[in-house]
Amino acid sequence: MNKTKIVCTIGPSSSSPQVLADMIRSGMNVARVNFSHGTSDEHRKMIRSIRAVATRLGRTVAILVDLPGPKIRIGRLRLEPTILKRGETITLTTDPASSNLTAIPVDYPDLPSLVTEGTTIYLNDGFLQVKVVRTSEQEVDAKVVIGGPLLSHKGLNLPGVALSIAAVTPEDLAHVDIGLDEGVDTFTISFLERPEDIRILREYAQKRGIKIHIVAKIERAGAVREIDAILAEADAIMIARGDLGVQIPIEDVPGVQKQCILKANRLGVPVITATQMLESMTENILPTRAEVTDVANAILDGSDAVMLSAETATGRYPVETVRMMAKIARSIEAQRTMLKGRSQLEEVLLLTGINRRELTVDDVVSLNVIQAMHALSPRYILTPTRSGRAPRRISRFKPDCWILSFCRDQKVAEFLAFSYGVVPFFVKTDEASWHDRIFDLISDAGLAKTGDLVILTEGSEPDLAGATNSLRIIKFP
């Protein structure tokens, strides 16, 4: 099917076992559970349901717990939606017991102290804008500059205003405990601006004796400035363009997207492009032409995965949206070589004068795999792995053929669901050499026939993670 992985946000529209099954069959690789909404019991039930459906279908589906972080949100509105009319004055209140029935509740007590007359407040990813007129101890009066419908729990942004809250909140840590209890080991950090936030979350899980994967959401100007340090700490990144397009000038978002993707590709760090990719399919059976082009360009930029948010969480056509995303991916993947020629990353590593002393053994092996693929057009690239590092290093070049990755750890296999073109297999074996077991699996699945050419990566110390240092070219027996 599609080599580009598809991340789907699970919500009321997609929570039933039947819809989940249809989405998995249509191309969903990662199920995102957004802990900004719902109760702890609902989250636990959802995680168990996703896992049960994936197991029944025999598919590897990763579960991504998206931690809310320090996002300022609108509270529960009395009228849903509340229509903000241009020119009118509204009141934002941080008082949960406010007697003002028309006031809009906000879940951040410090809001009145952070804004002054003339401050622009952005609501719902910047689609709504209000300008502060006056403040009091618990209220902010503001004039509507750009109006429209406002729903409960939508975000509130204050670009350029330093918030007095950490990226990893106590509530986030409580959410992590829920995820860990349910066997989930992949979490996002929202609104981080420094690599230390990643270490805080990783060390918290380590105290419970659990190794986790952390996806850093790039959605603040500070994260863009610190992207190199964040990439050195994170296991993956997500370019969350909704809040990012409020935090930085919206016209700068495409360039930032391309720069972050290239940096992540170079390091072999999976990168997810997110937000409003097929937004119109929340209500319509077909996307706009501009949305299709956006998805295609994100894939050509080098995204490992593309994400659906409201489209699958609350939209009318969750299954159809996944199918459309998969169709776009398959179409543009087939044209990648024609449209781009040699991989942009290959050019960076091989042709543009990069300091050769920066190349590692992993770089050399993965580059040689790609060069052999160009020359020989093998059926598959086979990568036995303990850590997942070898397939990720090859995946970053976005090769034409599939990477079949064989893992002894179920969690390693699940995290490879984020990497472009990688099909992970969980293999229960203690054998020093995996060759016979791998070939048996491929044969039993009907994936290859005698005489097919394959590239096999190997390590001189098979029991050591990260030891891949050679490749073999083999005819399938």
Side-chain angles (χ1 to χ4, degrees):
M1 296 180 67
N2 45 291
K3 294 184 176 71
T4 306
K5 301 306 176 68
I6 299 176
V7 183
C8 299
T9 305
I10 309 304
S13 296
S14 51
S15 58
S16 73
Q18 184 59 57
V19 173
L20 285 171
D22 289 343
M23 287 168 62
I24 293 172
R25 293 188 187 101
S26 298
M28 179 176 77
N29 306 101
V30 180
R32 171 183 175 242
V33 182
N34 187 356
F35 273 41
S36 296
H37 308 287
T39 66
S40 298
D41 287 342
E42 288 170 343
H43 298 149
R44 292 179 188 276
K45 181 179 178 181
M46 182 58 60
I47 290 169
R48 293 171 187 175
S49 179
I50 295 165
R51 188 171 287 124
V53 172
T55 300
R56 175 166 58 83
L57 296 178
R59 300 289 188 91
T60 298
V61 177
I63 297 176
L64 174 64
V65 167
D66 199 337
L67 303 174
K71 186 168 185 173
I72 306 174
R73 292 186 180 276
I74 298 299
R76 179 165 293 282
L77 298 172
R78 291 183 174 89
L79 180 63
E80 191 89 28
T82 293
I83 305 299
L84 306 188
K85 298 178 181 178
R86 182 178 179 181
E88 75 172 336
T89 298
I90 63 168
T91 299
L92 303 172
T93 181
T94 61
D95 179 8
S98 174
S99 59
N100 185 344
L101 298 181
T102 63
I104 296 173
V106 177
D107 64 5
Y108 188 52
D110 293 338
L111 177 66
S113 65
L114 291 177
V115 299
T116 58
E117 182 180 352
T119 299
T120 298
I121 298 175
Y122 296 81
L123 306 171
N124 189 22
D125 288 341
F127 285 106
L128 309 177
Q129 296 178 22
V130 300
K131 185 165 288 189
V132 175
V133 176
R134 68 186 66 86
T135 64
S136 61
E137 186 176 351
Q138 291 184 300
E139 292 186 344
V140 174
D141 292 333
K143 185 176 182 179
V144 178
V145 178
I146 300 177
L150 178 65
L151 299 174
S152 299
H153 309 302
K154 288 297 182 180
L156 183 154
N157 272 280
L158 300 169
V161 176
L163 302 181
S164 56
I165 41 180
V168 180
T169 67
E171 290 79 10
D172 286 338
L173 297 180
H175 291 321
V176 169
D177 283 332
I178 293 171
L180 295 178
D181 289 344
E182 295 299 324
V184 176
D185 71 340
T186 306
F187 301 86
T188 67
I189 297 183
S190 299
F191 303 103
L192 84 163
E193 297 188 276
R194 54 185 192 145
E196 289 80 6
D197 296 318
I198 300 172
R199 291 194 284 269
I200 289 170
L201 190 61
R202 202 181 301 281
E203 290 168 4
Y204 181 82
Q206 286 174 344
K207 289 178 181 178
R208 289 193 51 177
I210 300 173
K211 180 180 178 182
I212 63 174
H213 297 103
I214 297 175
V215 180
K217 292 172 76 172
I218 309 302
E219 53 190 338
R220 279 191 172 166
V224 175
R225 290 192 296 269
E226 294 292 323
I227 187 62
D228 292 326
I230 288 171
L231 282 168
E233 289 288 340
D235 299 294
I237 64 169
M238 177 191 294
I239 305 171
R241 301 177 303 177
D243 283 289
L244 183 63
V246 178
Q247 291 286 322
I248 68 173
I250 195 168
E251 65 271 18
D252 292 345
V253 171
V256 167
Q257 173 179 313
K258 292 177 184 293
Q259 293 169 22
C260 290
I261 290 173
L262 180 58
K263 286 176 179 288
N265 284 173
R266 179 175 172 179
L267 295 172
V269 175
V271 54
I272 306 162
T273 300
T275 317
Q276 298 169 341
M277 302 216 76
L278 296 178
E279 182 78 7
S280 64
M281 288 194 75
T282 305
E283 295 293 335
N284 303 309
I285 193 65
L286 288 174
T288 67
R289 278 63 176 167
E291 289 169 337
V292 172
T293 302
D294 177 45
V295 173
N297 281 329
I299 293 169
L300 288 175
D301 285 345
S303 298
D304 288 274
V306 286
M307 193 175 94
L308 297 166
S309 301
E311 301 97 324
T312 52
T314 59
R316 297 174 63 185
Y317 305 103
V319 176
E320 291 84 354
T321 304
V322 179
R323 288 176 185 156
M324 177 57 66
M325 186 74 91
K327 287 169 64 176
I328 298 166
R330 289 196 299 272
S331 176
I332 204 67
E333 288 161 8
Q335 302 175 68
R336 182 188 292 275
T337 300
M338 178 187 69
L339 294 173
K340 298 193 69 173
R342 182 186 288 271
S343 161
Q344 183 183 7
L345 187 59
E346 286 179 75
E347 293 177 1
V348 169
L349 288 177
L350 287 176
L351 305 176
T352 59
I354 186 173
N355 187 336
R356 290 306 179 95
R357 287 176 296 180
E358 296 179 13
L359 294 177
T360 65
V361 172
D362 288 330
D363 288 326
V364 173
V365 171
S366 59
L367 278 166
N368 275 279
V369 167
I370 299 302
Q371 293 300 304
M373 182 200 72
H374 289 325
L376 301 172
S377 300
R379 180 74 169 173
Y380 300 113
I381 299 168
L382 311 180
T383 59
T385 183
R386 281 193 173 275
S387 66
R389 181 178 175 87
R392 279 195 293 273
R393 302 297 277 187
I394 298 168
S395 168
R396 60 185 169 154
F397 295 108
K398 309 302 183 280
D400 293 333
C401 67
W402 291 93
I403 305 164
L404 307 188
S405 186
F406 303 89
C407 315
R408 299 184 191 184
D409 186 329
Q410 179 68 40
K411 296 304 181 183
V412 171
E414 288 180 3
F415 192 65
L416 285 171
F418 289 88
S419 293
Y420 180 97
V422 177
V423 181
F425 293 84
F426 173 48
V427 183
K428 295 181 179 179
T429 178
D430 294 323
E431 300 170 18
S433 173
W434 295 13
H435 295 180
D436 292 342
R437 181 73 173 122
I438 288 173
F439 289 134
D440 287 344
L441 277 171
I442 295 173
S443 179
D444 292 345
L447 294 174
K449 62 182 184 298
T450 300
D452 281 344
L453 208 62
V454 296
I455 297 174
L456 174 68
T457 63
E458 297 184 293
S460 56
E461 299 178 72
D463 289 331
L464 180 64
T468 300
N469 57 13
S470 65
L471 67 89
R472 294 175 61 190
I473 299 167
I474 303 172
K475 280 191 175 182
F476 197 78

